[in-house]
Amino acid sequence: MSDEKLEEQATTTPPAFALTTGRERGYHRAAVDTFLASARRAFESGGDELSAEDVRIASFPLVKGGYVVADVDAALGRVEDAFAARERERVVRTEGAGAWVDQARADAQVILDHLARPRRHRFARTGVLTFGYRIDEVDHVSTRIVRYLRDGDALTAEQLRSAAFRMQRGGYREEQVDALLDATIDVILAVR
């Protein structure tokens, strides 16, 4: 579908989410609507063309008059949860619950091993002139993850999905932190 047709469709159908106003930017309506429609088709067909991880990493352009980001992110979290549950059911059905639990334990141990590094040294750093995630904020969230995995403290996938870090020169590399957060979300969804 061309961009013009997507724009026309977005303006003729009632919005699926609240819209931003004024200078506030939101997710591009047509991009979100198209993604959610394809996710629905993929889920209903039962195919493997879309996974929980694909839903988690979906991104959309920010525009004026777009969908409110928090509303879409909350919906995407529910869609991700549904895909993760379906993936878990498939593995349990084909390999047994023990295999699923063993994999979740192994993944959790890899995360714990990584976070056993000393504070301020848990992830690679950017250069002194390059911005990365603020170290103290990432270390705080990392400590919460360790407490969840080791001690059973409360932590939800939504809390990790919504984690946001300020930037600092010489901070932690974003891609490493994001990968660990994604892996932790996978473990949380696996043991639900």
Side-chain angles (χ1 to χ4, degrees):
M1 195 177 280
S2 73
D3 286 342
E4 290 172 3
K5 288 188 180 199
L6 287 173
E7 287 297 327
E8 181 181 319
Q9 178 184 0
T11 58
T12 59
T13 58
F17 301 96
L19 300 176
T20 60
T21 58
R23 296 178 140 192
E24 184 182 5
R25 294 182 180 268
Y27 288 145
H28 189 277
R29 289 175 58 187
V32 171
D33 292 342
T34 302
F35 180 80
L36 289 176
S38 67
R40 176 184 214 120
R41 283 191 303 275
F43 189 80
E44 289 173 350
S45 74
D48 290 333
E49 60 271 8
L50 198 63
S51 69
E53 181 181 3
D54 295 329
V55 175
R56 182 179 321 125
I57 63 173
S59 62
F60 309 102
L62 292 172
V63 297
K64 287 183 181 177
Y67 288 139
V68 172
V69 170
D71 293 353
V72 174
D73 286 348
L76 289 172
R78 292 187 298 274
V79 172
E80 180 187 355
D81 291 349
F83 275 93
R86 185 177 71 185
E87 291 164 14
R88 178 178 55 239
E89 288 171 19
R90 280 188 186 150
V91 172
V92 168
R93 191 172 43 244
T94 59
E95 299 174 28
W100 183 260
V101 170
D102 290 344
Q103 183 60 51
R105 274 196 189 124
D107 293 345
Q109 190 59 55
V110 168
I111 294 166
L112 284 170
D113 291 346
H114 183 95
L115 295 180
R117 298 172 182 170
R119 291 178 69 80
R120 307 191 62 74
H121 299 284
R122 291 181 172 157
F123 300 93
R125 301 281 229 6
T126 62
V128 293
L129 299 177
T130 309
F131 285 92
Y133 286 150
R134 192 171 160 126
I135 294 166
D136 59 334
E137 294 174 356
V138 173
D139 281 346
H140 174 74
V141 171
S142 297
T143 299
R144 290 199 61 207
I145 291 170
V146 168
R147 288 181 183 150
Y148 167 78
L149 295 173
R150 187 189 61 209
D151 305 330
D153 285 8
L155 184 66
T156 66
E158 188 54 43
Q159 288 171 318
L160 293 181
R161 286 182 190 125
S162 63
F165 307 106
R166 291 179 289 178
M167 304 300 278
Q168 76 175 67
R169 291 186 192 276
Y172 283 144
R173 292 194 175 275
E174 295 175 44
E175 62 276 3
Q176 287 189 352
V177 174
D178 291 344
L180 186 119
L181 292 177
D182 287 346
T184 306
I185 289 168
D186 286 340
V187 169
I188 290 171
L189 295 176
V191 299
R192 272 191 178 170

